[in-house]
Amino acid sequence: MLFVEEPIGVTEAAQVPQQRGEQLLDAAARYAEERHWDVFPGTWLEAVEGRERCSCGDAGCPSPGAHPTRPDWAGQATGSAAAARRMWVEHPKSSVLLPTGRAFDALDVPETAGFLALARMERMDLTLGPVTCTPDRRMLFFVLPGAAAKAPDLVGHLGWDAAAIDLVGRGEGDYVAGPPTRVGGRGAVQWARRPTHTNRWLPDAAELISPLAYACAREAADARTRLS
């Protein structure tokens, strides 16, 4: 089975897997087959003068090896495992990208806030979906589609501004990178909570927004204190 990673803690060092083509192909096919998520291949990492660079050729690429290769990527995405296999056989090093706004949206928060919220949610025995942890120290909580549109109002009703506390909804027209995609030399996207049969049914954003917003607001306040 693909989804064998255990949840990781705030202080655990990231385990960066080697990004082999067969791992990426297997991941893409399983996301489509087992989770019914659409997938599409993105850019990949290439060795250039002893350094890893994005296949797009931009030396200053902000997401090296983990962004779409073409503007019409939304039409390229497929929910067919067989089609996914064909695409990754053609480009085996391609990152695994998952469009949001279809099977799921994602609530994107700073990593420290995400782990604080995750611990609180588990104590509250809330229903949780899969959660990823990215090399740029973000956590993404998978929720039902529509979360991106609702998140600002939900956070506002709690007395905060979503942008000010760095809580971002990722929905229609956006995408996330799926494990085991690597982002430049920074490491791999990992599961903080792996997909299982028990979290196949995703929560609504409203069920998670309170602990997430609280944790993000606390992190934002702490950041301001550190800068003062």
Side-chain angles (χ1 to χ4, degrees):
M1 294 291 290
L2 167 68
F3 306 123
V4 296
E5 298 92 338
E6 293 299 321
I8 57 178
V10 180
T11 58
E12 272 190 351
Q15 298 289 322
V16 181
Q18 183 180 358
Q19 185 159 291
R20 297 195 301 268
E22 61 269 24
Q23 290 181 323
L24 293 161
L25 184 155
D26 187 53
R30 286 182 180 272
Y31 292 146
E33 185 172 35
E34 297 179 5
R35 300 298 292 197
H36 305 294
W37 292 343
D38 284 1
V39 298
F40 68 98
T43 54
W44 57 91
L45 296 173
E46 297 179 330
V48 179
E49 297 178 350
R51 299 178 61 186
E52 287 185 321
R53 290 191 179 176
C54 187
S55 62
C56 71
D58 181 1
C61 180
S63 298
H67 65 83
T69 61
R70 48 198 251 191
D72 62 340
W73 60 264
Q76 185 187 20
T78 180
S80 163
R85 288 190 180 94
R86 286 194 296 270
M87 288 192 285
W88 267 268
V89 165
E90 185 175 352
H91 295 290
K93 295 191 294 182
S94 294
S95 52
V96 179
L97 303 181
L98 313 171
T100 49
R102 300 186 182 186
F104 63 88
D105 277 9
L107 296 174
D108 181 344
V109 302
E111 181 183 81
T112 302
F115 277 114
L116 176 66
L118 185 58
R120 189 179 182 195
M121 291 172 187
E122 289 174 341
R123 289 195 301 270
M124 296 167 67
D125 201 27
L126 293 181
T127 298
L128 291 169
V131 182
T132 62
C133 189
T134 72
D136 53 353
R137 301 186 66 82
R138 305 290 297 184
M139 287 183 72
L140 288 87
F141 291 73
F142 287 27
V143 291
L144 289 172
K150 295 189 294 186
D153 284 344
L154 291 171
V155 174
H157 289 154
L158 296 171
W160 291 296
D161 176 84
I165 63 173
D166 200 11
L167 191 157
V168 180
R170 309 276 289 271
E172 187 174 357
D174 206 346
Y175 62 89
V176 300
T181 295
R182 284 198 299 127
V183 184
R186 298 191 291 254
V189 180
Q190 301 179 78
W191 291 114
R193 283 184 65 94
R194 62 189 179 90
T196 66
H197 70 280
T198 59
N199 64 19
R200 183 175 296 277
W201 304 106
L202 301 176
D204 186 79
E207 300 173 56
L208 307 187
I209 207 70
S210 179
L212 281 173
Y214 169 80
C216 287
R218 177 173 166 179
E219 171 64 15
D222 288 347
R224 289 192 298 270
T225 299
R226 291 192 295 269
L227 291 173
S228 62

